[in-house]
Amino acid sequence: MAEMGSVAKLISSAIIASVRCQVGESAATNPAMTERSNAEPRTLGASPVDARVPATVGPVGVSSRVAGQWHRAGDASAAMRDLLLLFDFDWDTIGLTPFRDRFRFFNAGFDLFSFPGNARLLWFDIERFVDRLVERYGGRIDGVISANEQFGALAAALIAERLGLPGTNPDAILACQHKYHLRQLVEQVAPEANIGYRLLPCELGGVPYGTIEYPSFVKPIKAAYSVLARRIENEADLVRHIRFGPLERFIIARLVKPFDDIARRRLRIDVDARHMLVEEAIEAEQFNLDGYVYRGQPVLIGAVDELMYPGTQAFLRFAYPSRLSAEVRARAFDIATRVLRAAGFDHGFFNMEFFHDPKTGEVKVIEINPRLASQLADLYERVDGIDIYGMTLALACGEDPARVPRKASRGGAAASCVLRSFGDAIRPTSPIGAARRQRVAEAFPDAIVMDFHKRGASLAREVKWLGSHRYGVVNLHGDDEPDLRRRFEAICAMLGWPAPY
C-alpha cells in the first residue's frame, strides 16, 4: 500500500503541474478570508456597443421559487434554493461565499491541484460521474453550475440535460472546447474572423511527420488554460515541445479521455482530442469578450484587455475597463453571436478571446471558453458593480440575469495581475507567510491574492508545459489606473514579490 501511495503521489505531482492554469489557478487565498434562438442579440447597456449595465444599485438579488421573480436579501418571502456545484474551487469559493446563507450548495468533483484528490484522475469516468449525480440529486436541486474548464462545464451540462434543468447544450460545450471543430465553425459563419489552421501530423506525444510552416502556434485540440499552447519557431522547437515521457503521455491521455469519450459519441467528428492544432502565428493585441446567453439571446457584459509579458505569450495583466473602441467591441460581439449560434449555444455564460490588430482593424477569434471566466468576474463588480456570481445563480435557476441588481462601484479601474518568472530567474518559491498575509489583509481587505509555490520536478514540468513559473495572482482595483498600479506595487512590497505592471 505504501508503494501504491508513492506512485499515486508521483502521478499527482505531475497532474498538478500539467493542469496549472492561466486563468483561475488553485491555492487561492483571500486576505480577508483564508481560502479555500433566433432572437436579436443584446447587451446589458443601452446599445450593442455599450459594455456596461444600467445603474441599479442595490443588495444582491436572491431568487424566489417563482421563475423570473427576484427578491432582495432579507425579504422573508425569499425561498432557499438548492444548487449542485461541480469542481468549485478557488475563485468560485470566494465568489459564492456571500450567497451561502441564501443558497444551499451541494458540492461534487475533486481538486485537480492537490493530492489525494487529483489521484482520482487515474480512474475518473465522466459518464459514471454524471450517472451517480443524476441518481443522487434528481428532483432535489434547482440547478447545476460549474466554471471549471477541464471537466466541470461539460459534466454540468450533461447533468442539467438529464434532469431537465436550465443548462448549456452539451453539444455546444463540445463544439467550443474541440478547437479544431471550433475553427471549422468559425470558417463557416465568420470567415473574416478566422485564422489559418491545420492539424499537426501526429498525436500528442508522437513524432511529427510531414512539414508545417514556421513560425506557427501549436496547441492541443482539447486542453485547459493554455497548457501546451506555444509559438513554435522551427522543427527542433516543435520536437522539444511535443516530446513527452511515458508518465506525461499517461497524464495527457487521462486528462483528455473524459472529453473524448463524450465527443466521439455526440460531436460526430473524425478528429479526436489526442491531436494538436497548428495555427497561423498572429502578432496582435488580445482581449476577452464576456457575456451570457439567455433564452437563445446573447448578452454582452463587457471586454477585458489582455496584456502580455514583453516578448512572450504569457499573461501579465487582465485590465478592465477595456481600451477598445465601441466599434471594435460591437464587431467582436457580432462575431461571437454568429459562432455561438452555429455551435448551438443557447444558455449559459461564455468567455471568448480575440486578436485585434489596431493597424488593420482586424478582429480574429482565438477561442471560446463555454463557461464563466471566474478570474475576471470580480473585475466587472469592482468597476461597474456587475454582480457576475449573482447573475450566474440566476441563470442556473432559469431566470433572467439582467434582473439581478447592481452593487455600488468601488473604483474606476481593476486588474488581475499575474506574477511569473522566466528563464534563469525560475526558482522554487515559498508560500506567503501568515504575517505577510495578515499585513495585506489589514491594508487591502478587498484584494484577492493567490499564492503558488513549486519546486523540483513539479517546477520543471510547469516551465515545460506553460513556458514560465507562475507564482502568484493579485486581483484589485483603484480609483484610476495610476492608483491601481500604486496599490498593486504596495501589495507586492508587503509580500516580497517584484511588481511587474
Side-chain angles (χ1 to χ4, degrees):
M1 290 296 291
E3 182 178 352
M4 285 297 292
S6 298
V7 172
K9 287 184 179 180
L10 175 64
I11 293 174
S12 169
S13 68
I15 292 170
I16 292 170
S18 69
V19 294
R20 286 292 187 192
C21 45
Q22 298 285 347
V23 179
E25 191 161 351
S26 184
T29 54
N30 183 342
M33 128 189 121
T34 305
E35 77 163 349
R36 226 205 69 152
S37 139
N38 294 319
E40 286 302 310
R42 63 189 172 101
T43 70
L44 289 177
S47 71
V49 297
D50 186 353
R52 305 188 179 189
V53 298
T56 313
V57 177
V60 176
V62 181
S63 172
S64 75
R65 292 284 179 178
V66 181
Q69 180 180 352
W70 276 79
H71 296 284
R72 293 174 182 254
D75 187 338
S77 65
M80 199 72 131
R81 291 210 130 169
D82 298 328
L83 292 178
L84 177 60
L85 305 182
L86 304 183
F87 300 89
D88 62 312
F89 299 95
D90 307 320
W91 299 102
D92 294 336
T93 299
I94 296 169
L96 291 171
T97 292
F99 299 92
R100 291 183 184 273
D101 61 339
R102 289 159 276 163
F103 283 79
R104 206 163 18 232
F105 297 118
F106 302 94
N107 303 79
F110 52 93
D111 187 354
L112 273 168
F113 308 111
S114 63
F115 182 83
N118 56 13
R120 289 180 57 184
L121 184 64
L122 299 175
W123 59 85
F124 181 65
D125 183 308
I126 193 169
E127 293 181 282
R128 285 204 301 265
F129 177 76
V130 168
D131 287 344
R132 285 196 298 269
L133 293 176
V134 165
E135 181 178 358
R136 182 172 183 179
Y137 292 106
R140 296 179 56 197
I141 55 175
D142 297 292
V144 53
I145 59 176
S146 181
N148 173 266
E149 176 74 9
Q150 190 66 41
F151 304 134
L154 179 57
L158 292 167
I159 292 169
E161 181 183 63
R162 293 269 298 275
L163 295 181
L165 297 171
T168 307
N169 176 1
D171 294 341
I173 299 281
L174 295 167
C176 293
Q177 291 187 336
H178 193 292
K179 292 177 172 53
Y180 182 70
H181 183 66
L182 177 63
R183 283 284 166 219
Q184 293 179 314
L185 287 181
V186 175
E187 190 65 31
Q188 292 172 14
V189 300
E192 78 283 4
N194 212 3
I195 62 176
Y197 70 99
R198 58 168 290 191
L199 287 174
L200 182 68
C202 72
E203 291 188 355
L204 276 167
V207 177
Y209 54 88
T211 59
I212 66 173
E213 294 183 2
Y214 298 102
S216 290
F217 198 79
V218 175
K219 62 186 180 183
I221 279 180
K222 171 64 177 82
Y225 313 110
S226 301
V227 169
L228 289 175
R230 184 176 298 181
R231 180 185 171 101
I232 301 297
E233 301 295 339
N234 51 53
E235 185 174 352
D237 199 12
L238 174 63
V239 171
R240 282 193 300 271
H241 181 56
I242 65 173
R243 179 185 292 158
F244 306 114
L247 180 58
E248 289 177 311
R249 288 198 297 270
F250 174 78
I251 292 168
I252 290 170
R254 294 305 306 173
L255 287 168
V256 168
K257 184 178 185 300
F259 176 88
D260 236 6
D261 288 345
I262 305 298
R264 269 197 291 260
R265 188 176 74 251
R266 298 186 63 141
L267 200 56
R268 298 177 185 175
I269 188 168
D270 295 332
V271 179
D272 64 45
R274 292 171 295 176
H275 287 81
M276 298 189 80
L277 190 64
V278 180
E279 295 182 338
E280 176 186 359
I282 302 289
E283 295 185 4
E285 297 174 352
Q286 293 182 207
F287 67 94
N288 289 270
L289 195 76
D290 294 294
Y292 63 86
V293 180
Y294 176 65
R295 294 185 177 177
Q297 187 173 0
V299 181
L300 175 64
I301 294 175
V304 173
D305 292 337
E306 298 178 347
L307 295 94
M308 307 297 178
Y309 278 84
T312 78
Q313 291 92 42
F315 296 121
L316 167 65
R317 186 169 74 255
F318 298 90
Y320 183 78
S322 170
R323 295 181 179 180
L324 289 171
S325 70
E327 186 272 335
V328 171
R329 294 201 310 268
R331 281 196 288 130
F333 185 44
D334 173 66
I335 292 165
T337 297
R338 284 181 273 159
V339 177
L340 289 166
R341 286 178 173 163
F345 195 103
D346 58 4
H347 184 95
F349 270 86
F350 66 88
N351 165 264
M352 197 162 179
E353 292 184 82
F354 289 90
F355 289 117
H356 172 241
D357 188 333
K359 295 180 180 178
T360 65
E362 290 185 326
V363 174
K364 302 287 187 180
V365 173
I366 299 175
E367 64 183 22
I368 300 178
N369 300 305
R371 55 170 177 81
L372 173 69
S374 303
Q375 183 173 336
L376 309 182
D378 76 312
L379 306 187
Y380 293 103
E381 185 270 330
R382 291 171 185 270
V383 175
D384 287 333
I386 303 174
D387 185 3
I388 297 294
Y389 275 99
M391 295 164 71
T392 299
L393 296 174
L395 202 56
C397 295
E399 298 169 355
D400 188 352
R403 295 175 60 87
V404 176
R406 280 180 62 186
K407 301 179 180 181
S409 170
R410 289 187 277 165
S416 181
C417 303
V418 185
L419 289 301
R420 301 178 185 274
S421 56
F422 298 84
D424 294 338
I426 294 172
R427 58 188 181 276
T429 59
S430 299
I432 300 172
R436 287 183 173 180
R437 181 177 290 121
Q438 183 61 30
R439 286 181 60 201
V440 173
E442 291 173 355
F444 301 96
D446 52 8
I448 297 175
V449 176
M450 290 195 172
D451 162 40
F452 321 102
H453 61 285
K454 285 167 282 296
R455 56 177 56 87
S458 178
L459 175 62
R461 193 173 292 108
E462 175 174 299
V463 174
K464 176 182 176 180
W465 286 46
L466 291 177
S468 65
H469 172 33
R470 175 185 160 180
Y471 57 88
V473 173
V474 179
N475 277 28
L476 76 168
H477 65 270
D479 293 337
D480 50 26
E481 188 164 343
D483 183 51
L484 170 65
R485 181 170 184 170
R486 179 192 62 78
R487 288 163 59 88
F488 172 65
E489 290 173 347
I491 289 173
C492 289
M494 290 180 181
L495 297 175
W497 291 349
Y501 192 82

